[in-house]
Amino acid sequence: MTLTAPSLPVSRHPLLWPVMATLLVISWSSGFVGIRFASEEASIALLLFWRTLLSGLILLPFALIVGPRLRPRQILDQMLFGVMSVFLYLGGFALAIGQRVPTGLVALISDLLPLAVAVLSQPVLGERLSARQWQGTGLAVLGVFIVSFDSLGLGTAPPWAYALTVGSTLVFALATVLHRKRPGLRLPVHQSLCIHSLTGAALFGLCAAWQGDLAPPMTRDFAIGMAWLVVLGTFAAYGVYYTMLRLFPVARVSAAIYLSPPVTMLWSWALFSEPLTTAMFAGLGVTLAGVWMTTRG
């Protein structure tokens, strides 16, 4: 059941990449919606605790019954990935926002994740990007800046909080390339995601308990936010992302995330009536061109 690199090329349906990339962009950008619903009712630590706990508990029966028997070494390795890709990544941004780093700046840095992955993929994986792919990466980054420009600000947070946002992005990028580099330690996606979520829940639970009560707010908005974050923000986003990492080059997979900022703004317009701007559409066009150059072929 453990996945290893195939010895012969595997033919895939030509629609597999665009379909999976579309699912990734929609689910990855949807996290904003769940946070928007739930964050008015609870602290970020409590929100992340219940998000990861519910995700892990729902997956736990399937992780125990479906798939290979879990060995202690595999569990420990997956827990390490959980610390990196769930606790340090999500928790780092949450702490930075709590220290009053402007949300727009945090979002911009997190959306530059594909750039960090592209930089790390060469020395760690030996996956060299062509000149055209680097040009596409630069174009996509420019599009992200255009989309995010109106919401950018420096704020008054301490210097370490700004460094934390960059560090969180780099940690997740490192987890991504390591996940690709060590195929012999991979588990089926539902087992990996279960361990990652429960690891994050244990750590976020300690943070939430230190801040106060672990009891969830019994409100409609919090319930909607949790359902959204568990189904779309966790199962769909992380599940599709990890699956694509097993099928396609890591820099190509992460490049699709450049489209998250403009799609997030479409979510905001559709659900919260936030206005659409000319800059958003211009940035979307530039980003689409960059992602196309980076991923085609």
Side-chain angles (χ1 to χ4, degrees), residues 227-268:
W228 198 286
L229 287 170
V230 169
V231 175
L232 284 177
T234 301
F235 293 164
Y238 278 86
V240 172
Y241 187 65
Y242 288 145
T243 301
M244 292 179 71
L245 287 177
R246 303 182 182 195
L247 300 175
F248 304 102
V250 62
R252 184 182 185 192
V253 174
S254 62
I257 297 176
Y258 283 126
L259 292 170
S260 291
V263 175
T264 296
M265 293 187 179
L266 290 176
W267 280 114
S268 303

Side-chain angles (χ1 to χ4, degrees), residues 112-179:
L112 294 180
L113 168 67
L115 179 60
V117 171
V119 171
L120 290 174
S121 62
Q122 165 61 24
V124 178
L125 299 176
E127 294 184 2
R128 184 186 301 274
L129 271 68
S130 65
R132 187 200 71 236
Q133 288 177 309
W134 278 117
Q135 292 168 1
T137 296
L139 199 59
V141 170
L142 175 61
V144 171
F145 271 96
I146 293 173
V147 171
S148 307
F149 183 78
D150 289 340
S151 61
L152 292 182
L154 291 179
T156 58
W160 64 263
Y162 297 96
L164 185 62
T165 59
V166 177
S168 298
T169 300
L170 292 176
V171 164
F172 190 83
L174 181 61
T176 295
V177 295
L178 289 178
H179 183 273

Side-chain angles (χ1 to χ4, degrees), residues 37-227:
F37 275 117
S39 62
E40 299 295 328
E41 310 292 332
S43 67
I44 295 294
L46 187 62
L47 184 156
L48 293 174
F49 166 66
W50 281 103
R51 170 187 177 174
T52 51
L53 180 63
L54 291 174
S55 300
L57 291 179
I58 291 172
L59 289 173
L60 184 58
F62 303 98
L64 295 176
I65 297 172
V66 181
R69 183 177 180 180
L70 296 173
R71 299 193 300 270
R73 171 66 186 278
Q74 291 175 315
I75 294 175
L76 288 175
D77 282 320
Q78 295 300 326
M79 289 176 66
L80 175 60
F81 282 118
V83 171
M84 297 173 69
S85 63
V86 176
F87 179 69
L88 293 179
Y89 179 59
L90 298 177
F93 289 125
L95 181 58
I97 292 173
Q99 292 295 316
R100 297 186 180 178
V101 177
T103 304
L105 182 59
V106 171
L108 173 63
I109 294 174
S110 68
D111 290 328
L112 294 180
L113 168 67
L115 179 60
V117 171
V119 171
L120 290 174
S121 62
Q122 165 61 24
V124 178
L125 299 176
E127 294 184 2
R128 184 186 301 274
L129 271 68
S130 65
R132 187 200 71 236
Q133 288 177 309
W134 278 117
Q135 292 168 1
T137 296
L139 199 59
V141 170
L142 175 61
V144 171
F145 271 96
I146 293 173
V147 171
S148 307
F149 183 78
D150 289 340
S151 61
L152 292 182
L154 291 179
T156 58
W160 64 263
Y162 297 96
L164 185 62
T165 59
V166 177
S168 298
T169 300
L170 292 176
V171 164
F172 190 83
L174 181 61
T176 295
V177 295
L178 289 178
H179 183 273
R180 175 80 178 199
K181 184 179 177 62
R182 305 177 70 185
L185 296 177
R186 292 181 193 160
L187 293 171
V189 172
H190 68 284
Q191 290 182 320
S192 299
L193 192 52
C194 175
I195 298 172
H196 296 181
S197 298
L198 291 178
T199 301
L203 297 173
F204 285 130
L206 292 175
C207 298
W210 180 70
Q211 293 181 352
D213 194 1
L214 289 177
M218 305 303 290
T219 64
R220 174 179 171 271
D221 283 351
F222 187 80
I224 293 174
M226 280 297 104

